Amino acid sequence: MFFDLAGIYKNSILNKPKVVCFIIFLMTVFFASHIPNFRLDASSDTLVLENDNALKFYREIKQQYGSDDFLIMTYTPKNDLFAQSTIDDLIKMSERLMKVNQLESIISVLNVPLINSPPVTLKSLVDHIPTLLDPNINKNLAKKELLISPLFKNLLISSDSKTTALLLYIKPDKANQLLQQKRIYLKKNIQEEPSSNVIKKQLNNINTLYSAHLKVMQNKQAQLITDVRQIMALHSDNAQLHLGGVPMITSDSIAFIRHDLINFGLVVVLFILLTLSIAFAKVRWVVLPLLCCIVSGIIMVGFLGLVDWPVTIVSSNFISLMLILTLSLTIHLIVRYQELHWKYPQVSQFTLVSKTIQKKFVPCLFTTATTIVAFGSLVVSDIRPVIDFGWMMTIGVSIAFLMAFTLFPAALMLLKPGKVVNQKNLTEQLTLSFAKKLIKVQVPVLVLYFIIIAISIFGFRYLSVENRFIDYFKPSTEIHQGMSLIDNKLGGTTPLDVVINAPIEPTIEKRDPNIAEDIEDDFFDEFGFEEDEFNELEQNKPTGITASYWFNPVMLEEVAQYHKFLDKLPQTGKILSLASGMQLINDLEPETKTDNFKLSLIYSKLPDSVKSVLFDPYLSENGNQIRFSIRVFESDKNLKRDELLKNIKRGLVNKFDLKEEQIQLTGMLVLYNNMLKSLFSSQIQTLGMVFFSILIMFVLLYKNISLSLITLIPNLVAASMVLSIMGWFSIPLDMMTITIASICVGIAVDNSIHYVHRFKIEYQLCGDYEQAIIKSHSSIGRAMYYTSITITLGFSILIFSNFMPSIYFGLLTGFSMIFALISNLSLLPLLLIKFKPLGDNTCQPKSIENQVLN
């Protein structure tokens, strides 16, 4: 069967190289035409768990109380904030911003209600809401009011009054909301009727529409950020401006990823080009590997564009990884080809290529399969971007293997063998010397590895999933500076909502009718309300909010206590709630603190514009649910999201008469925290599955359990060392670094398989373990060395990125390559010598023909 397949391969690939190259050219052109459809996605949906119930609740809260899709623009003027020139500049900038099509409204110090600048009565507030732009406003009083206002201090103005903020609210995307609702509805129906093809078809259609709409949304959002920044630039002479908010983080993350993909991708390729030139000193051994890498990359990117499969922060480095794997395969082929050409300079090109492919196909097939297993293990994660990354790399590795065994040999067949390359070079001397010294110091090296394993185990204790968005960007970047400024002066950046429901059987506070009758006349006189207005209120008994569980003096005082508790937490910044608005109402009419009747009447007379600011964002329509809108300090180095959320829930239950089921936490902080908590368990699951699957594959490949276990050990050590390095250096597990362990395993396994495969051949030739080790180091050791050094140097260029995940990826990938190389050239051979898994053999001379076959 094997020889039939070998014959088919020779006839279809090696005997028809031009046809193969032409077909691959057509494939490349086809997929290249779909590259314009390739897109990046760094939206909030990529930061949450698959099928997370918290996501559903988050969307419900957004729909009920309003979206957190707004931009925060900080404005630090060179003159006094309340100087007329500064106000004029703010007015002009606001007018320009309102012309931006995607902005719905702007909240700033210019248009918020002022009730003490000078003080106004409730009656006048009903008729007219004063703002900073009113001619009768006293600016000194306005400044004082804004600085002490429970609504606006540390939200629109910093405590030193040097910086103000403009909240730019983005128009809601009704089409997106409708598509999300339909998707949720159809997914629920599929769970109830999993065999329904009609529902599946409907869901596929909705998913297609949703994906297309997301692409449009992403482009609009990028344009919005661009338009806002252009307006900011027009006013940069008068003030220092920064931009923040979730939409901006999303847009800038995409920009950073795109920048790294294009610019550093090209630099990495050039760096590898230089390294290959030094290593192999022949044009063909530089051009052919890069050709395979480029074609593989084009096909994969085009495929993602064809099926509209977006790349996220997690999968943004898939091109780099494909480059690694394709290079690894082609370098092993090159080294084997050069060895055969050195030994047998007279044989034909067809013989050299066919024998190279014949002897490298099986180990390369198994290295590809184990790499697929390593990346495929990521699909057991609960995190959608990690799952997608696993599938992407599975497809990408398969493409790399196909190109290495079709394009590479076909293109090589079009060339003549050329001059023989001297194999007795510096690299061969280096690996050979390393092997000889290793054999002399076996015990110390094994002891050293025991120490490394111990250090790794201790390092696991320091692994953490806590990280901060702000740490994704260098301090020199605008996004980092803007987030820091908002955190330090304007109440925090990361949104968190605390939602508290009324008890299942609420006891509604009843007002005393006798008390109401005693105060009616005084109330009418004081506030100028007519008696018929009161009669109208009496005829329409309190309903909705005014008759609700929370909207009465007793429970509002309780809400104020909840607010104070949340405000005292060191990680929380600006907090807005029902208590914030009620403080203003209480200042206007102190009796509303104790009198439910007055409270109800005043609420009924407030303009909708005031209600929309003071009550609607923090109290449900039926009045039985309250919401606390919190901004958390993202730049706080002591921020531990999970601990904060537990403290909030525990504190509200223990300090107040609340039950745990009444309290719900939501917002981007909660969704991201759920994802982070899943990372650690996901890492354990994926690594466990990877090593078990690889062990099974080793047994199938070697048909020797002892040899399989020995081959697995260096991979365990390499993965453990990488994770311990992350622990010791406080590099947190996030959506980028969680993939490093799988990458390390995939790379180390490749080296292990190639080394053991060559070791078995050398051992069959001489029957001596130590001599087989020396021979393996001088042959396959060179290929492993070239691959590791080339890729490590190439990816070291990522340290110049402004995007910290890319920097970590470059450094940890390089470390993975080097440690995988060292462990497979030291620990693996020592284990082979120590345990002798192949038994004893005697030296058996081989014929020239057999040597060529080997």
Side-chain angles (χ1 to χ4, degrees), residues 374-413:
F375 285 108
S377 67
L378 297 174
V379 302
V380 304
S381 172
D382 293 324
I383 306 165
R384 181 76 257 172
V386 175
I387 296 170
D388 286 346
F389 179 58
W391 284 117
M392 284 180 187
M393 287 309 304
T394 297
I395 297 170
V397 171
S398 302
I399 293 172
F401 178 79
L402 289 174
M403 290 302 105
F405 283 88
T406 54
L407 178 59
F408 181 83
L412 193 56
M413 284 299 299

Side-chain angles (χ1 to χ4, degrees), residues 82 109-120 125 128-134 137-138 141-143 145-146 149 152:
F82 289 88
V109 293
L110 299 178
N111 57 11
V112 293
L114 300 174
I115 62 173
N116 289 308
S117 307
V120 297
L125 186 63
H128 173 70
I129 302 174
T131 68
L132 186 63
L133 299 182
D134 284 5
I137 284 291
N138 184 310
L141 292 176
K143 177 180 179 180
E145 180 176 352
L146 288 169
S149 168
F152 309 129

